[in-house]
Amino acid sequence: MAAAPRDVPRRGLFIGGGWREPSLGRRLPVVNPATETTIGDVPAATAEDVELAVAAAREAFRRDGGRHWSCASGAVRAKFLRAIAAKIKEKKSDLALLETLDSGKPLDEANADMDDVAACFEYYADLAEAFDGKQHLPISLPMENFKSYALKEPIGVVGLITPWNYPLLMATWKVAPALAAGCTAVLKPSELASLTCLELGAICIEIGLPPGVLNIITGLGPEAGAPLASHPHVDKVAFTGSTETGKRVMTAAAQMVKPVSLELGGKSPLIVFDDIDNIDNAVEWAMFGIFANGGQVCSATSRILVHEKIAKQFLDRLVAWAKHIKISDPLEEGCRLGSVVSEGQYEKIKKFISTARNEGATILCGGARPQHLRRGFFIEPTIITDVSTSMQIWREEVFGPVVCVKEFSTESEAVELANDTHYGLAGGVISNDPEICERLTKAIQAGIIWINCSQPCFVQAPWGGNKRSGFGRELGEWGLDNYMTVKQVTKYCSDEPWGWYQPPSKL
């Protein structure tokens, strides 16, 4: 087992390039969800601190006419992003350990997350550098006496509100493209897992990021997140989290007609056809789609639709595989299922399972605390069958290691079941028939489709959903565009008068 650090770093709010205590002096306890012990605390920001952070970001955006950041070349910003990536790699072990202690995820997963964090900063450094050569591209016009081009410019000060399931990675998905675009930012991570985001502030100090370019405030949503979303000097809000909170963010932003991008909940389907050659391959992808990160994944394929011809065989193997998962202290080597993030989330998941049982569903596997773990917020991987489409467990996002399995008989029935949801983040199809895969790629109403897999994620590819899963796209070049505004520049290139009006008579 890896050794836990003796002390969790005690940080303040990261504002204007340095640390400061919250205005009201309040702090929130940090609880290790795998042991239920308090391991530290984080500052609890309020509206007063939001004011300071937004003012620091605004000043950094405008400083010297933007020469140091917003109007600097992409190559200048790329140097800082690469420096952050290098520090992430250097501190990978410490950051991964903090992330595990804070969120309960297996240490192997946290280490992989840190690799992805560094890769994301490097990717957007490359895009920032390449961006310089893409400005002033001419626009073809039908009139020769005009020349036109488009400029992409940073949108301004952005508020970034991020979740607890991948604390530093989800923050990076927003911070890296926002900074690459030339924006300045105020990051507000979830109060349930803020430690590694605060360490990002320490890294910014180490690499000499200009003061105020990135500010990091921790605290409760109503006290810190809400004032950030509604602040008149925040030019855009990007939010990842629950659909209900997303609605409130959108409402707050609407009062000032500021743009938002929202990556919200999901109840994603995975459709397994009977033409597959290897049941176990399909089962492992189904497992990865719902049990990775404890099922605390917005895109989790938490509804499995399996063809009736292979349903029994598939379920037998799914149960066997699920019972074989190593559930343990997340610091133990080989752990594949740690705790969920908090007591509140633990109780919420248990209530979902209880309601499913009361509504007539069958808990085929799991559904309780593992017998060998007496402390910590652990839930066994849970497989639920005999589910009707009206049940809560089928319709609502659980955000835990809980999956529903339902049979289908025809392709059209599978599509209908897959799309019978308010959400539209992701979906998957497992089949050996390329024509089936092609048809379902078009038929499933979601922003992300996986074929013969579930949950792969690449920084180069767009990420985001439809319907109540939100709008806007992160990652890839789409992620950079999230933080840009487009300006048309058109020049009249003739000495001839325009000639629309008749000139007055000469005196």
Side-chain angles (χ1 to χ4, degrees):
M1 184 185 297
R6 194 172 301 172
D7 296 303
V8 168
R10 189 182 191 279
R11 302 293 188 191
L13 303 171
F14 183 64
I15 297 176
W19 303 109
R20 60 178 300 138
E21 286 301 305
S23 298
L24 300 186
R26 301 206 311 253
R27 298 184 72 88
L28 302 172
V30 174
V31 175
N32 179 344
T35 63
E36 302 182 46
T37 57
T38 299
I39 57 174
D41 55 37
V42 295
T46 53
E48 297 89 342
D49 305 301
V50 172
E51 285 290 338
L52 295 171
V54 172
R58 177 67 57 188
E59 198 279 328
F61 190 82
R62 294 173 172 171
R63 187 182 301 132
D64 290 338
R67 184 168 59 88
H68 296 291
W69 194 257
S70 58
C71 294
S73 70
V76 167
R77 296 193 292 270
K79 290 180 182 178
F80 289 103
L81 295 179
R82 290 195 180 101
I84 292 173
K87 284 293 180 182
I88 296 290
K89 291 178 179 178
E90 178 186 316
K91 300 172 182 290
K92 172 184 169 178
S93 296
D94 291 341
L95 290 169
L97 187 54
L98 271 182
E99 192 106 304
T100 291
L101 295 172
D102 203 11
S103 69
K105 68 172 59 194
L107 185 59
D108 285 348
E109 290 190 14
N111 272 299
D113 289 352
M114 295 310 124
D115 290 337
D116 289 344
V117 167
C120 190
F121 275 108
E122 289 173 339
Y123 175 78
Y124 281 105
D126 291 344
L127 284 194
E129 202 164 51
F131 182 72
D132 291 338
K134 297 180 180 179
Q135 290 282 48
H136 295 83
L137 291 179
I139 297 170
S140 177
L141 299 177
M143 300 179 71
E144 292 183 359
N145 50 356
F146 288 94
K147 301 295 182 187
S148 186
Y149 61 90
L151 281 178
K152 286 188 176 181
E153 298 178 331
I155 205 165
V157 174
V158 294
L160 312 175
I161 304 175
T162 57
W164 44 259
N165 54 337
Y166 294 88
L168 187 54
L169 183 57
M170 291 294 96
T172 297
W173 280 19
K174 291 174 171 46
V175 169
L179 268 53
C183 293
T184 56
V186 179
L187 168 65
K188 193 277 173 193
S190 168
E191 67 275 11
L192 294 179
S194 302
L195 293 180
T196 49
C197 287
L198 288 172
E199 292 311 293
L200 180 59
I203 287 172
C204 290
I205 293 173
E206 285 187 60
I207 67 156
L209 187 73
V213 166
L214 177 62
N215 307 273
I216 304 168
I217 58 170
T218 54
L220 300 174
E223 296 178 0
L228 180 61
S230 62
H231 199 288
H233 294 152
V234 171
D235 300 303
K236 180 205 167 113
V237 180
F239 171 79
T240 297
S242 73
T243 298
E244 288 307 309
T245 304
K247 291 177 184 178
R248 293 194 289 272
V249 169
M250 195 171 176
T251 299
Q255 308 313 306
M256 283 156 287
V257 201
K258 73 174 65 173
V260 297
S261 52
L262 302 175
E263 205 259 270
L264 308 176
K267 196 72 179 176
S268 302
L270 180 67
I271 305 174
V272 184
F273 282 86
D274 61 327
D275 61 9
I276 57 177
D277 296 326
N278 191 316
I279 289 278
D280 277 356
N281 285 352
V283 165
E284 186 178 10
W285 278 118
M287 296 257 294
F288 190 71
I290 183 58
F291 297 141
N293 206 50
Q296 300 166 118
V297 185
C298 51
S299 57
T301 40
S302 55
R303 295 184 299 140
I304 299 176
L305 300 165
V306 60
H307 195 279
E308 60 187 7
K309 288 184 179 178
I310 61 167
K312 185 181 185 308
Q313 185 184 3
F314 182 91
L315 277 169
D316 288 346
R317 294 305 294 160
L318 185 62
V319 169
W321 277 71
K323 289 182 175 179
H324 193 61
I325 293 175
K326 179 173 181 178
I327 312 170
S328 69
D329 184 306
L331 297 178
E332 280 191 20
E333 186 176 352
C335 174
R336 285 297 176 266
L337 188 65
S339 68
V340 297
V341 75
S342 68
E343 183 177 14
Q345 188 66 15
Y346 175 69
E347 294 298 334
K348 176 184 171 186
I349 295 167
K350 289 200 302 180
K351 187 174 180 181
F352 266 109
I353 296 169
S354 173
T355 300
R357 184 183 285 112
N358 292 338
E359 288 182 339
T362 298
I363 313 303
L364 193 63
C365 174
R369 170 189 291 279
Q371 291 185 0
H372 66 287
L373 294 167
R374 296 300 178 187
R375 292 184 63 81
F377 307 123
F378 293 90
I379 295 179
E380 295 172 315
T382 302
I383 301 167
I384 301 179
T385 59
D386 300 321
V387 180
S388 72
T389 58
S390 62
M391 289 182 181
Q392 180 199 47
I393 199 73
W394 181 262
R395 305 209 68 83
E396 296 184 24
E397 183 178 42
V398 178
F399 226 65
V402 180
V403 65
C404 300
V405 184
K406 191 171 182 61
E407 297 181 21
F408 71 90
S409 57
T410 65
E411 181 180 324
S412 60
E413 181 189 5
V415 170
E416 184 177 351
L417 287 168
N419 289 334
D420 182 24
T421 173
H422 293 307
Y423 296 108
L425 183 52
V429 53
I430 296 181
S431 170
N432 282 343
D433 187 333
E435 291 185 2
I436 288 178
C437 295
E438 178 66 19
R439 286 195 299 269
L440 266 69
T441 294
K442 297 175 181 178
I444 297 173
Q445 298 164 356
I448 304 159
I449 301 296
W450 296 302
I451 297 174
N452 292 328
C453 58
S454 180
Q455 303 305 315
C457 180
F458 300 96
V459 69
Q460 297 83 1
W463 185 276
N466 309 327
K467 300 195 277 189
R468 294 186 195 176
S469 291
F471 51 84
R473 293 295 181 266
E474 296 189 295
L475 301 184
E477 295 188 9
W478 300 267
L480 190 65
D481 287 341
N482 246 342
Y483 301 98
M484 294 284 195
T485 184
V486 180
K487 178 183 287 182
Q488 178 210 136
V489 180
T490 299
K491 179 182 179 181
Y492 185 52
C493 303
S494 173
D495 293 331
E496 295 298 317
W498 181 228
W500 182 255
Y501 300 101
Q502 290 296 319
S505 299
K506 294 182 179 179
L507 297 177

